Amino acid sequence: MTGGEREREGFAAFMLRMRARGIGGKELFAAMEATPRGDFVPSEWRSLAWSERMLPIACGEAIEGCDLQARVIEALELSSGHRVLEVGTGSGFTAAVIARLAGRVISLDRFKTLGNEAKRRWEHLGLSNVLAKQADGGEGSAADGPFDRIVVWAAFEELPRRFVDQLATGGIMIAPMGPAEDTQIMMKLTKVGSRFEREDLASVRLQPLAKGIAEAI
């Protein structure tokens, strides 16, 4: 079996898992299928690209399993006019999928290397509505807001109140909350006035949000 055949088989298995859980519509599946996930993971892990496993990527980071990514992206309820902030560019896969479903995406990562690699992948796919920035993700990107949607791929120990002002009224933020060394809850927070309405999506184990930016890589 060739690498391409394995990837197609992996994507088909992923779709079956999602449909069994009642997750994913045509637009989401089309956006994910159009984004060759194997190109966003190291070659030695390509056969597992469409698995539920977290996989290692550059800079000691990891890419979340595609099942969790699909669930979160669907919960963002994206439309073509939305401005989206992503905290944690990683390999750039989720930003690429979101860019196919939203109007504009700004993706932050503390590692310059990850941002540069993601940019090359997005350019190769012809995606022009997504921008990578090296930044302290814990501060968000107030100068570029407000955002209709915010998604964070690293855990907060408590509700990140500083993001309230960066989210438009009626906007949605999805982020994991909980202790750094234990299970966290991936929460969907909908902004109503100056407060959030909360919905719990899944239990996760993600890295805590690191402060500052990486100087060397």
mmCIF file of all heavy atoms in Angstrom, residues 125-147:
data_model
loop_
_atom_site.group_PDB
_atom_site.id
_atom_site.type_symbol
_atom_site.label_atom_id
_atom_site.label_comp_id
_atom_site.label_asym_id
_atom_site.label_seq_id
_atom_site.Cartn_x
_atom_site.Cartn_y
_atom_site.Cartn_z
ATOM 1 N N LEU A 125 -0.552 25.259 -0.261
ATOM 2 C CA LEU A 125 -1.968 24.939 -0.468
ATOM 3 C C LEU A 125 -2.740 26.111 -1.068
ATOM 4 O O LEU A 125 -3.943 25.991 -1.328
ATOM 5 C CB LEU A 125 -2.608 24.531 0.867
ATOM 6 C CG LEU A 125 -2.108 23.213 1.475
ATOM 7 C CD1 LEU A 125 -2.685 23.021 2.868
ATOM 8 C CD2 LEU A 125 -2.466 22.032 0.582
ATOM 9 N N GLY A 126 -2.074 27.238 -1.251
ATOM 10 C CA GLY A 126 -2.725 28.403 -1.835
ATOM 11 C C GLY A 126 -3.652 29.135 -0.880
ATOM 12 O O GLY A 126 -4.571 29.846 -1.323
ATOM 13 N N LEU A 127 -3.409 28.994 0.415
ATOM 14 C CA LEU A 127 -4.245 29.667 1.414
ATOM 15 C C LEU A 127 -3.669 31.052 1.706
ATOM 16 O O LEU A 127 -2.549 31.171 2.207
ATOM 17 C CB LEU A 127 -4.306 28.839 2.703
ATOM 18 C CG LEU A 127 -4.954 27.454 2.564
ATOM 19 C CD1 LEU A 127 -4.745 26.639 3.834
ATOM 20 C CD2 LEU A 127 -6.437 27.582 2.246
ATOM 21 N N SER A 128 -4.419 32.089 1.414
ATOM 22 C CA SER A 128 -3.927 33.459 1.574
ATOM 23 C C SER A 128 -4.623 34.224 2.695
ATOM 24 O O SER A 128 -4.288 35.386 2.947
ATOM 25 C CB SER A 128 -4.111 34.230 0.262
ATOM 26 O OG SER A 128 -5.475 34.242 -0.116
ATOM 27 N N ASN A 129 -5.568 33.582 3.390
ATOM 28 C CA ASN A 129 -6.326 34.280 4.436
ATOM 29 C C ASN A 129 -5.927 33.839 5.839
ATOM 30 O O ASN A 129 -6.691 33.960 6.790
ATOM 31 C CB ASN A 129 -7.835 34.069 4.241
ATOM 32 C CG ASN A 129 -8.235 32.600 4.336
ATOM 33 O OD1 ASN A 129 -7.444 31.706 4.038
ATOM 34 N ND2 ASN A 129 -9.472 32.354 4.751
ATOM 35 N N VAL A 130 -4.698 33.316 5.968
ATOM 36 C CA VAL A 130 -4.208 32.875 7.275
ATOM 37 C C VAL A 130 -2.817 33.456 7.491
ATOM 38 O O VAL A 130 -1.979 33.475 6.584
ATOM 39 C CB VAL A 130 -4.223 31.326 7.376
ATOM 40 C CG1 VAL A 130 -3.441 30.679 6.245
ATOM 41 C CG2 VAL A 130 -3.716 30.865 8.727
ATOM 42 N N LEU A 131 -2.588 33.970 8.692
ATOM 43 C CA LEU A 131 -1.343 34.664 9.035
ATOM 44 C C LEU A 131 -0.762 34.083 10.307
ATOM 45 O O LEU A 131 -1.477 33.913 11.300
ATOM 46 C CB LEU A 131 -1.632 36.157 9.233
ATOM 47 C CG LEU A 131 -0.473 37.040 9.708
ATOM 48 C CD1 LEU A 131 0.581 37.171 8.602
ATOM 49 C CD2 LEU A 131 -0.997 38.430 10.100
ATOM 50 N N ALA A 132 0.533 33.770 10.296
ATOM 51 C CA ALA A 132 1.228 33.271 11.484
ATOM 52 C C ALA A 132 2.014 34.401 12.135
ATOM 53 O O ALA A 132 2.655 35.199 11.445
ATOM 54 C CB ALA A 132 2.173 32.133 11.114
ATOM 55 N N LYS A 133 1.955 34.463 13.459
ATOM 56 C CA LYS A 133 2.732 35.437 14.214
ATOM 57 C C LYS A 133 3.426 34.758 15.381
ATOM 58 O O LYS A 133 2.820 33.919 16.058
ATOM 59 C CB LYS A 133 1.818 36.540 14.776
ATOM 60 C CG LYS A 133 1.276 37.520 13.754
ATOM 61 C CD LYS A 133 0.546 38.665 14.469
ATOM 62 C CE LYS A 133 0.113 39.756 13.507
ATOM 63 N NZ LYS A 133 -0.512 40.891 14.239
ATOM 64 N N GLN A 134 4.694 35.119 15.608
ATOM 65 C CA GLN A 134 5.366 34.667 16.820
ATOM 66 C C GLN A 134 4.944 35.610 17.941
ATOM 67 O O GLN A 134 5.137 36.830 17.858
ATOM 68 C CB GLN A 134 6.884 34.674 16.669
ATOM 69 C CG GLN A 134 7.576 34.070 17.900
ATOM 70 C CD GLN A 134 9.092 34.183 17.842
ATOM 71 O OE1 GLN A 134 9.622 35.056 17.150
ATOM 72 N NE2 GLN A 134 9.791 33.338 18.575
ATOM 73 N N ALA A 135 4.349 35.057 18.983
ATOM 74 C CA ALA A 135 3.810 35.904 20.044
ATOM 75 C C ALA A 135 3.566 35.083 21.303
ATOM 76 O O ALA A 135 3.537 33.852 21.267
ATOM 77 C CB ALA A 135 2.501 36.553 19.588
ATOM 78 N N ASP A 136 3.391 35.788 22.413
ATOM 79 C CA ASP A 136 2.975 35.181 23.674
ATOM 80 C C ASP A 136 1.465 34.966 23.586
ATOM 81 O O ASP A 136 0.673 35.900 23.716
ATOM 82 C CB ASP A 136 3.317 36.114 24.834
ATOM 83 C CG ASP A 136 2.958 35.523 26.197
ATOM 84 O OD1 ASP A 136 2.181 34.543 26.245
ATOM 85 O OD2 ASP A 136 3.435 36.045 27.213
ATOM 86 N N GLY A 137 1.075 33.721 23.349
ATOM 87 C CA GLY A 137 -0.331 33.431 23.135
ATOM 88 C C GLY A 137 -1.225 33.741 24.315
ATOM 89 O O GLY A 137 -2.424 33.983 24.153
ATOM 90 N N GLY A 138 -0.654 33.758 25.509
ATOM 91 C CA GLY A 138 -1.446 34.038 26.699
ATOM 92 C C GLY A 138 -2.008 35.441 26.724
ATOM 93 O O GLY A 138 -2.969 35.720 27.457
ATOM 94 N N GLU A 139 -1.425 36.320 25.919
ATOM 95 C CA GLU A 139 -1.922 37.692 25.846
ATOM 96 C C GLU A 139 -2.914 37.885 24.697
ATOM 97 O O GLU A 139 -3.499 38.953 24.557
ATOM 98 C CB GLU A 139 -0.742 38.665 25.676
ATOM 99 C CG GLU A 139 0.256 38.637 26.823
ATOM 100 C CD GLU A 139 -0.388 38.959 28.156
ATOM 101 O OE1 GLU A 139 -1.235 39.872 28.204
ATOM 102 O OE2 GLU A 139 -0.045 38.278 29.154
ATOM 103 N N GLY A 140 -3.066 36.859 23.862
ATOM 104 C CA GLY A 140 -3.941 37.009 22.699
ATOM 105 C C GLY A 140 -3.334 37.953 21.682
ATOM 106 O O GLY A 140 -2.114 38.054 21.547
ATOM 107 N N SER A 141 -4.183 38.667 20.965
ATOM 108 C CA SER A 141 -3.718 39.622 19.954
ATOM 109 C C SER A 141 -4.727 40.759 19.857
ATOM 110 O O SER A 141 -5.447 40.904 18.867
ATOM 111 C CB SER A 141 -3.559 38.905 18.603
ATOM 112 O OG SER A 141 -2.936 39.760 17.660
ATOM 113 N N ALA A 142 -4.765 41.571 20.906
ATOM 114 C CA ALA A 142 -5.779 42.621 21.023
ATOM 115 C C ALA A 142 -5.764 43.579 19.837
ATOM 116 O O ALA A 142 -6.817 44.041 19.387
ATOM 117 C CB ALA A 142 -5.578 43.389 22.329
ATOM 118 N N ALA A 143 -4.571 43.873 19.310
ATOM 119 C CA ALA A 143 -4.465 44.835 18.215
ATOM 120 C C ALA A 143 -5.161 44.346 16.951
ATOM 121 O O ALA A 143 -5.542 45.147 16.094
ATOM 122 C CB ALA A 143 -2.994 45.123 17.911
ATOM 123 N N ASP A 144 -5.328 43.032 16.816
ATOM 124 C CA ASP A 144 -5.955 42.462 15.628
ATOM 125 C C ASP A 144 -7.441 42.149 15.831
ATOM 126 O O ASP A 144 -8.117 41.733 14.898
ATOM 127 C CB ASP A 144 -5.230 41.181 15.216
ATOM 128 C CG ASP A 144 -3.790 41.436 14.821
ATOM 129 O OD1 ASP A 144 -3.573 42.239 13.902
ATOM 130 O OD2 ASP A 144 -2.891 40.840 15.444
ATOM 131 N N GLY A 145 -7.923 42.323 17.058
ATOM 132 C CA GLY A 145 -9.310 41.984 17.369
ATOM 133 C C GLY A 145 -10.261 43.124 17.057
ATOM 134 O O GLY A 145 -9.871 44.145 16.495
ATOM 135 N N PRO A 146 -11.545 42.970 17.429
ATOM 136 C CA PRO A 146 -12.076 41.778 18.101
ATOM 137 C C PRO A 146 -12.253 40.614 17.123
ATOM 138 O O PRO A 146 -12.321 40.800 15.915
ATOM 139 C CB PRO A 146 -13.431 42.258 18.642
ATOM 140 C CG PRO A 146 -13.854 43.328 17.679
ATOM 141 C CD PRO A 146 -12.582 44.013 17.253
ATOM 142 N N PHE A 147 -12.310 39.411 17.709
ATOM 143 C CA PHE A 147 -12.451 38.193 16.926
ATOM 144 C C PHE A 147 -13.836 37.589 17.137
ATOM 145 O O PHE A 147 -14.400 37.668 18.226
ATOM 146 C CB PHE A 147 -11.383 37.179 17.340
ATOM 147 C CG PHE A 147 -9.978 37.658 17.099
ATOM 148 C CD1 PHE A 147 -9.260 38.259 18.121
ATOM 149 C CD2 PHE A 147 -9.374 37.526 15.859
ATOM 150 C CE1 PHE A 147 -7.966 38.728 17.915
ATOM 151 C CE2 PHE A 147 -8.084 37.989 15.634
ATOM 152 C CZ PHE A 147 -7.379 38.592 16.660
#
